[in-house]
């Protein structure tokens, strides 16, 4: 583009020089001619040159603008491609994440054919709950993440019991947590501390769970019923 501009400027200067030399040469060759005719002819050529120079400048500006527009379009296209690549990468990452979860779930379904109470009882998250069962200074009740981890460990090691309690009987969150703790052998006093509740709340929740699971009244028989349920299915 710069070469084109240089050529246009060069032609304009050359034409100006030619017009100037032409006018001077005619005056030298015709000293006796009428000065007015020579001046008019020179002015006419000078006006033609100005028009030509103006057109040349407009053309040069137009070419320059077109080149800049082309560069801008390339930059915008590249930027658009970058955005598209980011979107593609994000979608690929999400698909890989979903596939990983699906593989984990499928692996759990195919590899675990029976409940394993021993693995559940000896898991690291169960150890955390045992450390927190006694109410003392500096010890806090399990948080949501720890409860979620216990639920996942229960579903992994004891899928049959998990399906029975978590899905079929439609227990509340508190009722389900109490059932897991009873299966692990926790006493009511420890369950009160771990759930950050009061004894009456635990008793009421146990009664409701006993009714939903075994259609039995009261809270006292819930633990025995859960253990019997597990033994009946050869789970422990």
């Amino acid at each position: 583009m710069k070469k084109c501009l240089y050529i246009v400027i060069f032609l304009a200067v050359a034409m100006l020089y030619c017009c100037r030399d032409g006018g001077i040469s005619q005056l030298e060759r015709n000293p006796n001619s009428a000065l007015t005719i020579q001046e008019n002819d020179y002015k006419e050529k000078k006006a033609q040159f100005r028009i030509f120079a103006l057109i040349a400048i407009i053309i040069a500006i137009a070419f320059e603008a077109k080149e800049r527009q082309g560069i801008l379009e390339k930059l915008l296209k590249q930027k658009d491609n970058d955005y598209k690549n980011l979107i593609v990468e994000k979608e690929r990452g999400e698909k890989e994440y979903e596939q990983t979860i699906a593989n984990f779930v499928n692996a759990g379904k195919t590899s675990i054919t029976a409940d394993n109470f021993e693995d559940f009882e000896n898991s690291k998250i169960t150890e955390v709950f045992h450390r927190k069962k006694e109410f003392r200074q500096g010890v806090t009740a399990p948080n949501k993440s720890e409860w979620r981890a216990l639920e996942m460990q229960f579903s992994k090691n004891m899928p049959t019991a998990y399906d029975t309690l978590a899905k079929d009987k439609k227990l509340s969150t508190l009722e389900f947590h109490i059932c897991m703790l009873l299966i692990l052998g926790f006493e009511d006093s420890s369950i009160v501390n771990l759930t950050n509740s009061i004894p009456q709340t635990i008793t009421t929740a146990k009664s409701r769970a006993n009714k939903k699971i075994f259609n039995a009244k009261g809270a006292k028989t819930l633990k025995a019923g859960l253990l019997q349920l597990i033994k009946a299915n050869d789970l422990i």
Side-chain angles (χ1 to χ4, degrees):
M1 184 60 214
K2 289 184 178 180
K3 290 182 178 179
C4 179
L5 181 60
Y6 292 153
I7 291 172
V8 171
I9 294 174
F10 174 77
L11 291 175
V13 173
M15 185 173 181
L16 176 62
Y17 180 78
C18 292
C19 291
R20 178 178 178 276
D21 285 351
I24 294 174
S25 297
Q26 288 182 6
L27 288 173
E28 290 177 350
R29 288 195 302 268
N30 302 291
N32 298 323
S33 301
L35 183 60
T36 302
I37 296 175
Q38 296 296 330
E39 288 179 350
N40 290 337
D41 184 57
Y42 180 73
K43 288 180 179 179
E44 182 180 353
K45 290 182 178 180
K46 189 174 181 180
Q48 292 175 354
F49 165 73
R50 288 178 176 175
I51 294 173
F52 173 79
L54 180 60
I55 294 173
I57 292 172
I58 292 173
I59 293 174
I61 292 173
F63 275 108
E64 182 72 18
K66 185 176 181 180
E67 184 176 8
R68 290 187 178 184
Q69 181 65 27
I71 294 173
L72 180 60
E73 290 177 355
K74 288 181 179 179
L75 291 174
L76 292 175
K77 186 176 181 181
Q78 180 63 38
K79 190 174 182 180
D80 185 59
N81 290 334
D82 291 341
Y83 283 136
K84 289 181 179 179
N85 291 334
L86 288 174
I87 294 173
V88 170
E89 289 295 329
K90 183 178 180 181
E91 291 178 348
R92 185 184 296 116
E94 290 176 351
K95 289 181 179 179
E96 291 177 354
Y97 179 70
E98 292 175 357
Q99 186 61 44
T100 300
I101 294 177
N103 292 339
F104 176 76
V105 173
N106 292 331
K109 290 180 178 179
T110 57
S111 62
I112 300 176
T113 57
D115 288 5
N116 191 326
F117 176 75
E118 184 177 355
D119 285 351
F120 179 52
E121 186 179 34
N122 296 325
S123 64
K124 291 183 178 179
I125 186 61
T126 301
E127 293 178 4
V128 172
F129 276 74
H130 276 292
R131 289 196 300 268
K132 291 190 173 188
K133 68 181 180 180
E134 299 297 337
F135 179 78
R136 58 184 183 273
Q137 187 175 5
V139 178
T140 59
N143 56 39
K144 290 183 179 180
S145 298
E146 290 168 334
W147 278 112
R148 181 56 181 160
L150 185 67
E151 292 174 9
M152 294 180 65
Q153 191 70 43
F154 185 53
S155 66
K156 176 182 177 182
N157 296 139
M158 306 183 69
T160 305
Y162 178 83
D163 289 344
T164 300
L165 299 178
K167 296 181 180 179
D168 298 342
K169 303 305 178 182
K170 297 182 180 180
L171 301 176
S172 69
T173 300
L174 178 60
E175 292 165 0
F176 178 58
H177 288 173
I178 290 173
C179 288
M180 286 193 298
L181 296 177
L182 288 173
I183 291 172
L184 288 169
F186 287 95
E187 299 296 334
D188 285 0
S189 59
S190 297
I191 295 175
V192 168
N193 294 333
L194 290 169
T195 58
N196 196 23
S197 304
I198 60 175
Q200 183 59 43
T201 300
I202 299 303
T203 300
T204 302
K206 287 173 64 178
S207 298
R208 282 199 287 260
N210 203 15
K211 179 65 176 178
K212 292 177 182 179
I213 301 171
F214 304 109
N215 196 27
K217 294 181 179 180
K220 294 182 179 180
T221 61
L222 177 61
K223 182 175 181 179
L226 290 171
L227 296 178
Q228 185 62 37
L229 175 67
I230 296 172
K231 289 179 180 179
N233 290 280
D234 295 326
L235 303 178
I236 59 173

